[in-house]
Amino acid sequence: MGGTEERVTRRDEAVRAAVEQGLLGAGTPIVGLLDVTGIRESARELRAAFDAVTAPGTPVLHAFAVKATPLVPVLRLLYDEGLGAEVASPGELALARAAGVPPHRTVLDSPAKTPAELREALALGIAVNADNPQELGRIDALMRSAESRSPLGIRVNPQVGGGSIGATSTATATSKFGVALKDEGAREWVVRAYAQRPWLTRLHAHTGSQGIPLSLMAQGVAQVYALAEEINGRLGRRQIDTLDIGGGLPVNFGSDESTPTYAQYARLLSEAVPGLFSGRYGLVTEFGRSLLAKHGTVVARVEYAKSAGGRPVAVTHAGVQVAARTVYVPGSWPLRIAAYDAKGRPKEGPAVVQDVAGPACFAGDLLAEGRALPLLEQGDYAAALDTGAYYFAHHYAYNSLARPGIYGFAPDGSGGVGFATVRAAQTLDEIVAESGGAHATALTTLRAPGRR
Ligand SMILES: *Cc1c(COP(=O)(O)O)cnc(C)c1O
């Protein structure tokens, strides 16, 4: 595993350099930082983990789940490392295309694809996993009217159960995703769907995300493999040639260690589903959080340090707008906080139980409650760690708080840290424009019928 200590050192150096270079300060009190070195390492670890267990020559596409970090330069970086893109909306597809990810390295999954989206995907040759019988009916119509190079499959819900977080458990009995395999008649329907459509060559499941134990993920994959074997066996041909096993490797938010590792998961799969890596099936994976989470940090200035009811409260610029899940469901999504001083150096001192609050105007806007940290003071910085996926790229516009700038960092070649803009901070003009600024008089000039 790419050195944990090195990653921590890189992060600390980047925070200090961000302050020194003026990316972060009184006038720019919040930024997102991305560790380019770490992202490349994770991509390489993913590829190496599967290379180590798959038969030589097996086609494997690791399609990054764009929803985890929907930023064009990140998709480009991962493509540069040999990954593709899994997209689930017209916007995500547009991001993947803007990053230069070609159609044959792109997979479209989503539970609500419109006819226009399906038509575009099939015209481009992007792989599509049909979520349900109605969607398959739409694809039938498109396949009758035009040729397509798109690899096509069906998403199934193996219904193996949920994990510790309901919102990310996709394989429960009543999950909204895919064809619920254990429902009455469903398995027969799936087999018939393949029998009637020689162009259905893939089978897909994503058993869940954060909170799902590895053993349950492996059970989901085992179900998919068994179903593919059953279909191919009953059809007497190897019609299904590729299995898409989804993503979902959980991230350790409790320390700097990256556990579990891709290598552990790949090994577990090779034991639990030995045929999976035999070379008889090409593979697609769709990891998101595990590729990016550890490589992102939100750093926010402490605007004020106060005390209430005897508890110290650091009022920072990072709250619900960059960490919506943590603020609304803190029990499921706790984040580690690191304290830095005004110069961006790791803060020393005895641990003091304190709240780390955000800037939004509701009492629950807390990044961390009752956390023991060196006492944060005015002008210090609080860093929310492991926020590279599903955090700062998932802005929530509460209080019209601006989207922070996001910068990638890497060694500058002469012992320092270099930064590149991944996404510029949102400007006030942009906030106004995105909030109907061009339509200021729209409502006062609208007259209801019958009124003067
Ligand atoms: C969200 C999602 C993923 C990625 O999940 P992670 O937990 O981020 O790895 C992969 N596939 C599908 C279909 C998803 O919905």
Side-chain angles (χ1 to χ4, degrees):
M1 214 55 208
T4 303
E5 265 171 54
E6 285 90 336
R7 176 145 39 80
V8 174
T9 303
R10 286 197 301 271
R11 183 174 70 218
D12 287 347
E13 286 175 352
V15 171
R16 192 205 294 219
V19 174
E20 277 170 6
Q21 297 181 31
L23 250 44
L24 194 57
T28 315
I30 176 169
V31 292
L33 301 178
L34 280 170
D35 178 0
V36 174
T37 311
I39 296 170
R40 286 192 188 275
E41 278 175 8
S42 284
R44 287 172 197 178
E45 281 161 11
L46 170 59
R47 293 182 59 190
F50 278 77
D51 282 351
V53 294
T54 37
T58 306
V60 182
L61 169 63
H62 296 292
F64 173 64
V66 171
K67 78 167 182 279
T69 310
L71 296 167
V72 173
V74 169
L75 305 183
R76 178 62 164 237
L77 175 65
L78 292 172
Y79 179 59
D80 193 49
E81 286 293 339
L83 273 58
E86 186 261 358
V87 300
S89 71
E92 289 182 359
L93 175 56
L95 298 184
R97 296 185 76 187
V101 181
H104 70 273
R105 311 214 35 102
T106 305
V107 179
L108 173 64
D109 301 324
S110 99
K113 307 175 195 82
T114 63
E117 260 182 281
L118 289 167
R119 196 176 317 113
E120 186 190 14
L122 265 58
L124 290 169
I126 286 167
V128 177
N129 291 309
D131 181 83
N132 59 67
Q134 293 177 353
E135 186 174 308
L136 191 58
R138 288 180 174 178
I139 294 174
D140 282 340
L142 290 167
M143 291 298 282
R144 278 195 293 272
S145 65
E147 290 273 294
S148 173
R149 276 175 297 117
S150 291
L152 299 166
I154 294 178
R155 176 171 183 172
V156 294
N157 168 8
Q159 290 170 301
V160 291
S164 60
I165 304 175
T168 52
S169 295
T170 49
T172 59
T174 56
S175 159
K176 72 177 179 186
F177 295 106
V179 176
L181 206 50
K182 291 180 181 164
D183 283 14
E184 205 185 326
R187 202 175 179 92
E188 272 310 306
W189 179 85
V190 173
V191 175
R192 234 178 312 118
Y194 282 83
Q196 292 163 353
R197 295 170 185 80
W199 41 263
L200 274 180
T201 57
R202 291 191 171 185
L203 188 63
H204 172 228
H206 168 67
T207 299
S209 293
Q210 191 67 20
I212 304 286
L214 288 196
S215 55
L216 197 67
M217 291 171 60
Q219 277 180 44
V221 175
Q223 293 287 329
V224 168
Y225 175 79
L227 178 60
E229 288 287 281
E230 180 185 334
I231 292 170
N232 285 348
R234 283 172 64 175
L235 301 186
R237 55 178 186 257
R238 299 209 62 79
Q239 181 174 322
I240 297 178
D241 60 21
T242 301
L243 300 180
D244 181 338
I245 63 170
L249 191 75
V251 165
N252 166 23
F253 286 95
S255 81
D256 279 306
E257 296 287 331
S258 289
T259 53
T261 63
Y262 291 119
Q264 284 167 338
Y265 183 46
R267 239 177 285 127
L268 175 70
L269 284 178
S270 69
E271 287 157 18
V273 200
L276 184 67
F277 298 120
S278 63
R280 294 193 304 158
Y281 294 100
L283 295 171
V284 177
T285 74
E286 306 172 342
F287 295 101
R289 183 178 282 108
S290 53
L291 278 160
L292 257 296
K294 287 275 169 205
H295 310 306
T297 308
V298 173
V299 193
R301 190 170 155 97
V302 178
E303 195 64 52
Y304 300 110
K306 55 200 279 189
S307 169
R311 178 176 291 183
V313 182
V315 180
T316 79
H317 287 272
V320 75
Q321 88 277 30
V322 288
R325 272 187 170 155
T326 294
V327 169
Y328 285 134
V329 197
S332 294
W333 303 100
L335 285 175
R336 291 182 299 138
I337 306 291
Y340 294 92
D341 69 15
K343 292 190 163 160
R345 298 171 303 202
K347 184 136 191 180
E348 310 282 342
V352 176
V353 172
Q354 57 197 301
D355 286 356
V356 183
C361 297
F362 64 100
D365 187 30
L366 300 173
L367 269 187
E369 195 172 359
R371 193 69 62 84
L373 293 168
L375 185 67
L376 285 164
E377 296 168 287
Q378 187 172 38
D380 286 347
Y381 293 94
L385 308 182
D386 310 325
T387 47
Y390 303 99
Y391 281 98
F392 51 61
H394 293 64
H395 189 81
Y396 175 56
Y398 202 96
N399 274 146
S400 300
L401 289 160
R403 286 190 291 266
I406 297 176
Y407 302 90
F409 63 85
D412 68 0
S414 47
V417 179
F419 292 97
T421 302
V422 171
R423 180 187 75 190
Q426 191 181 28
T427 65
L428 295 183
D429 285 346
E430 285 167 349
I431 291 177
V432 173
E434 290 171 29
S435 306
H439 310 287
T441 60
L443 301 180
T444 49
T445 55
L446 181 69
R447 288 284 180 273
R451 287 195 54 191
R452 261 188 324 121

